[in-house]
Amino acid sequence: MAAVKNGREYLSHVTETLKHRIAQLDESIEVGQKEIEGMHEYYWENYTEMDQYGYEDYDNQQALLNQLNTNQQQMHLKHRFQKMLDSPFFGRVDFCYDGEDTAESFYIGIGNFAERTGQTPLVYDWRAPVSGLFYDFDKGEAWYEAPGGRMDGEIVSKWQYKIKNGKMVYAFESDVKIDDDILKAELGVNGDVQLKNIVRTIQKEQNAIIRNTSDRILVIQGVAGSGKTSVALHRIAYLLYHDRKNLKSSNILILSPNGVFSDYISHILPELGEENIQEMSFDLFAYRELKDVVPDCEDRYDMIERNLVQPKERGRYWEKQSPDFLNQMEGYLMELEDSLMDIRDFTYRNYEIKASRILLLFYTRFLEIPLLSRMDAVREYVVDDYETLAGRDLNEEEQQYFYEQFMAMYETRDIYVLYSRFLESVGMCPLPSVWYEKRLLRYEDVYPVLYLKYRLLQPAKRAGVKHLVIDEMQDYTPMQYQILSQLFPCKMTILGDRAQTMDEKQQDVLTFLPGILGKKLRKIVMDKSYRNTVEIAAYAAELAGITDLKLFERHGKPVCEKKITEKEVITQILKELRVQPDGYETAAVLTITDQEAWEMAAILKKELGDEQVTYMNKDSSRFKKGITVTTFYLAKGLEFDQVFTVWGRQPEDDLIRQAKYICATRALHELYMYQVVTEKSRDNRE
């Protein structure tokens, strides 16, 4: 059947085979379940009579565990096969090996599928070596790297398929990799509540990034809509497939901007045949790490809101993240070596150790240990010395006494107090002098305090994380990257768009990343936009001052720019809104501040009903169909069929222009930019 050239016939064969394999798995799972029930029954009937050494009990438990694992694996396989029934494959390459007369057909899909385990696949996983032929070559000479070495030959023909609900929608023979008409059709469909996988339309330059296994640090600098997030996630799926022996899904951590974005991308890896992985924001991680210092921290979005209404405060955050500030903190740490310590003689019963010897241990033997952990190392040394001389171990009460006495040689170990003193020493306002329960760190102080903590108390390296994915890299400061490099000495995929910063000035992290992560990092630029129509992408590029953007030729409605009064906003939105059963799936009304979003959502809910409108704030965790009302900073990373941007309460400045750019690049098909003005200014304009 592998020689069948008719895609429809092959689809029929693969579909029937899938159904047969699913039926076999159902039967096997049922048998396994009966085995599990039998084991449980046997145990409860006989556990009182099992041998006294527990050998039979152990054997029974192991057999039960093995059967449970087998059933779980079979259910996972069944689930994958059921998903494949909808669209078993999307491409085909007819490849004639050098020295052969007949071409071999390779059908490519989401995952491998064979009639029986161990047989030649009917469908090859998109990540398999041979599948690279589909993505990287046109008709003619081609090759791929197989486990046994390079395989050369000629691509005789290439086919692209669209299969939906198990039915062939089209079969398209093409000389080139991904036909532009097919790509346009894929990009032109309505937006969804989840990021789409791109296995059917991976471009050659994207495939090179996805299949990159050699670079330890890969930095993807991509314009809005270039597919950088999709490519990064597909790369993770490929790495998991490529290095299955050493890399598990539990070894991957994604640092994502917020809960909604995490929900937006959460399905991708399972859809590509992999288990889901850990996702969290770096801010959330930082807040957890600082619980022993402060009970609460302001979050980034609160700071953004504050900066929007108090422009004079905008520079404070970057001032406290700057290299100069970091250098000042390092100088302060050197001063603490002496000023923080009150080292004195220690006596317990007949045992005495002089301050001079403690000083020698503290500043010589244990010098490499961070300052606030160093005295504990000295204490352990003294305890060992005492126990050796006394010929006995200290009891719990004595251990506590030793600990208290040695920790008392620090003037303070309170990180909050030490940071506050540092601020005062460099001419900045200190933190409020309050009890722990009353402490609240402003966002601009969160990472300086965390940095200080890690310099004074050695952080535990996250050895379980073997690959770190950092999205929205332009929003991370040098100080944050310093912290990340300490915590995660592992491979990284770092991605972002410097034009999408949530600050007044664009930041190119590549100016300082090599100094932090090493010069061997690989930079890849993705400068072609696929998300937006030509009209929207060109408009957004002009907003951001981007002149070298490459556009995929997909056209749509011109961008609508209007100056309207506050009373006219809702009327205009309702007039153009096309989210309905027969229209678009998603639309967004994007504002500058959260208060504006809340007010807009309340009005739209009255007009359209609660079920159609979702107000999304910093605490939201789901991305839903219909109409979303939110701020520009929470919309970053998401995409919508229609976008209505409303601004005007704030004076035009660099931050507002950044916000407008972020809003504009969220639109797939239609973009409306509404500036709210007074009746008087509109009349003057007219």
Side-chain angles (χ1 to χ4, degrees), residues 328-346:
Q328 288 176 315
M329 193 176 291
E330 287 295 328
Y332 175 68
L333 283 163
M334 292 187 67
E335 292 174 10
L336 284 180
E337 285 282 338
D338 294 322
S339 64
L340 194 61
M341 306 312 300
D342 179 20
I343 295 176
R344 49 192 181 272
D345 296 347
F346 173 78

Side-chain angles (χ1 to χ4, degrees), residues 388-605:
T388 301
L389 293 171
R392 66 178 183 88
D393 292 341
L394 292 176
N395 60 39
E396 195 173 313
E397 188 177 328
E398 290 173 315
Q399 288 276 8
Q400 183 62 29
Y401 176 79
F402 272 61
Y403 178 83
E404 289 172 356
Q405 292 299 307
F406 278 91
M407 292 303 107
M409 295 185 193
Y410 291 106
E411 189 263 318
T412 181
R413 300 181 77 241
D414 192 328
I415 305 290
Y416 182 93
V417 171
L418 292 171
Y419 178 70
S420 184
R421 291 176 183 176
F422 162 68
L423 291 178
E424 199 168 13
S425 73
V426 295
M428 294 183 178
C429 290
L431 301 179
S433 182
V434 293
W435 295 108
Y436 170 85
E437 291 77 10
K438 298 283 186 182
R439 293 175 179 177
L440 171 66
L441 273 187
R442 290 171 67 125
Y443 188 75
E444 61 262 27
D445 293 310
V446 168
Y447 289 98
V449 173
L450 186 61
Y451 181 84
L452 186 64
K453 177 182 174 178
Y454 285 164
R455 289 287 282 109
L456 292 170
L457 295 161
Q458 187 70 42
K461 289 182 171 57
R462 273 56 182 180
V465 177
K466 297 181 179 180
H467 199 109
L468 181 70
V469 181
I470 302 174
D471 203 355
E472 305 293 354
M473 68 183 184
Q474 71 281 354
D475 293 333
Y476 289 76
T477 66
M479 183 178 288
Q480 289 172 314
Y481 281 110
Q482 288 278 8
I483 294 169
L484 286 168
S485 69
Q486 290 183 54
L487 292 173
F488 303 103
C490 61
K491 294 183 176 181
M492 297 183 187
T493 301
I494 305 172
L495 59 142
D497 172 17
R498 69 182 179 188
Q500 290 190 66
T501 181
M502 292 190 294
D503 203 73
E504 293 175 283
K505 298 178 182 178
Q506 295 183 10
Q507 175 189 223
D508 186 358
V509 300
L510 288 164
T511 59
F512 58 79
L513 265 189
I516 298 172
L517 301 178
K519 294 181 179 179
K520 289 186 177 180
L521 61 78
R522 172 88 177 274
K523 172 191 172 183
I524 295 177
V525 175
M526 298 178 68
D527 56 1
K528 191 171 187 178
S529 175
Y530 294 97
R531 174 189 296 139
N532 322 112
T533 62
V534 169
E535 291 77 10
I536 294 170
Y539 174 85
E542 188 176 348
L543 283 175
I546 300 171
T547 57
D548 54 352
L549 180 66
K550 297 176 183 176
L551 302 177
F552 183 76
E553 288 291 322
R554 181 174 70 85
H555 289 274
K557 288 180 65 174
V559 176
C560 175
E561 271 192 301
K562 275 189 178 182
K563 291 186 178 181
I564 57 179
T565 66
E566 200 155 343
K567 291 180 180 178
E568 295 171 322
V569 172
I570 297 298
T571 304
Q572 285 292 323
I573 292 173
L574 293 175
K575 179 183 173 184
E576 301 293 347
L577 198 61
R578 291 177 57 197
V579 176
Q580 52 191 355
D582 299 325
Y584 291 130
E585 295 282 347
T586 60
V589 179
L590 304 181
T591 65
I592 302 300
T593 68
D594 181 63
Q595 179 65 28
E596 292 167 353
W598 184 85
E599 291 171 359
M600 190 71 70
I603 297 169
L604 286 171
K605 284 183 177 184

